[in-house]
Amino acid sequence: MNPVLDRVNEFPVFPVLETDRLVLREITMDDLDWYIEHFSRPEMVEGQDFPAPESREVAEEELRKYIVDLFRNRDGFRWGVTLKGDPRLIGSLGYYKWARPWSHMAEMGYDLQKEHWGRGMMSEAMRAVIDFGFERMKLTRIEAFVFLFNTRSTRMLERLGFRREGILRSRVMTSDGVISDDTIYAMTRDDWLAARGRSKQ
Ligand SMILES: CC(C)(COP(=O)(O)OP(=O)(O)OC[C@H]1O[C@@H](n2cnc3c(N)ncnc32)[C@H](O)[C@@H]1OP(=O)(O)O)[C@@H](O)C(=O)NCCC(=O)NCCS
């Protein structure tokens, strides 16, 4: 059975992760300008069911609630994606809805600036974060909800070893007010072990 994690002792500080090309670091209130610019981009608004922040004050509230307090309360992690040697943020990814009292499940979210798409950057970040989830957070299942039309996102999840479990009809409203189907993808610990085995062959 999954232990009840003592999350503060297990993660006394935000865990920085490194991959071949990337450094994944903590996002703080000092990143407010980035937050506003990044989450106002049309590709972010379209890909996720979340409108652009209406004002600086709203953005500040969102950044605190969804990113900074997420880790402060140990309810999840949102890493900022940077290229090695360049501290500017180009995206973010992480876990939210981390189950309590057991730590067996969490949802993932991710977003990358368009100029960096098509280079495997998010896949690289996702692999590090997925390993972290199964190894350090003691997850046994990771979920991701994706608009049916977000084929870049579904392609990436499938390549990483997530499985499509179902279509959730009329579940979401897009930023322009259109009702859309959602899909649920999940990766279990067994899927993760299988995907890791394949990548080592
Ligand atoms: C979802 C999102 C992160 C995917 O970005 P991405 O760059 O396509 O994803 P990856 O990092 O997996 O890159 C894969 C692409 O890089 C290519 N690639 C190049 N070098 C690569 C490498 N070393 N490793 C893996 N893929 C590589 C792949 O062929 C693939 O290209 P293709 O899709 O044209 O075939 C991005 O579209 C995004 O941020 N969208 C807006 C926000 C959003 O929708 N978030 C998800 C909400 S559910």
Side-chain angles (χ1 to χ4, degrees), residues 21 43-44 47-48 110-112 116-123 145-146 150 152-153 155-156 159:
R21 294 178 288 180
E43 69 267 26
M44 301 308 166
Q48 313 180 91
Y110 43 85
D111 44 77
L112 185 70
H116 298 282
W117 292 4
R119 299 167 63 198
M121 291 294 181
M122 190 49 84
S123 288
F145 291 86
V146 188
N150 196 346
R152 263 197 177 274
S153 180
R155 245 190 348 254
M156 180 183 79
R159 215 171 22 232

Side-chain angles (χ1 to χ4, degrees), residues 52-200:
E54 279 167 29
S55 64
R56 196 169 177 84
E57 288 68 37
V58 168
E60 196 171 356
E61 232 172 82
E62 289 176 7
L63 171 59
R64 192 183 311 281
K65 180 172 169 191
Y66 297 122
I67 297 187
V68 174
D69 284 353
L70 180 75
F71 176 65
R72 202 167 63 91
N73 300 329
R74 302 302 191 276
D75 284 329
F77 302 85
R78 191 84 189 185
W79 285 268
V81 180
T82 65
L83 298 172
K84 271 188 180 162
D86 183 346
R88 284 174 301 178
L89 291 169
I90 60 168
S92 78
L93 76 161
Y95 295 106
Y96 56 101
K97 296 193 182 168
W98 189 10
R100 285 185 193 269
W102 316 113
S103 295
H104 63 300
M105 264 187 22
E107 269 180 54
M108 283 198 95
Y110 43 85
D111 44 77
L112 185 70
Q113 288 176 353
K114 203 168 190 171
E115 39 291 22
H116 298 282
W117 292 4
R119 299 167 63 198
M121 291 294 181
M122 190 49 84
S123 288
E124 189 170 315
M126 287 283 286
R127 276 192 202 96
V129 166
I130 291 166
D131 288 351
F132 180 90
F134 286 116
E135 286 166 0
R136 301 282 316 278
M137 295 166 68
K138 310 296 177 205
L139 299 177
T140 51
R141 174 182 165 91
I142 299 170
E143 295 184 341
F145 291 86
V146 188
F147 289 150
L148 197 51
F149 58 75
N150 196 346
T151 49
R152 263 197 177 274
S153 180
T154 56
R155 245 190 348 254
M156 180 183 79
L157 291 173
E158 283 165 13
R159 215 171 22 232
L160 288 167
F162 279 76
R163 293 208 215 155
R164 180 186 281 191
E165 292 188 333
I167 296 185
L168 306 160
R169 293 169 304 144
S170 302
R171 181 168 182 268
V172 282
M173 190 172 289
T174 62
S175 54
D176 43 9
V178 176
I179 289 285
S180 169
D181 292 346
D182 216 7
T183 50
I184 177 167
Y185 277 84
M187 181 187 275
T188 63
R189 180 172 284 276
D190 286 345
D191 296 336
W192 171 63
L193 292 170
R196 264 208 332 190
R198 277 196 302 276
S199 70
K200 280 184 183 146

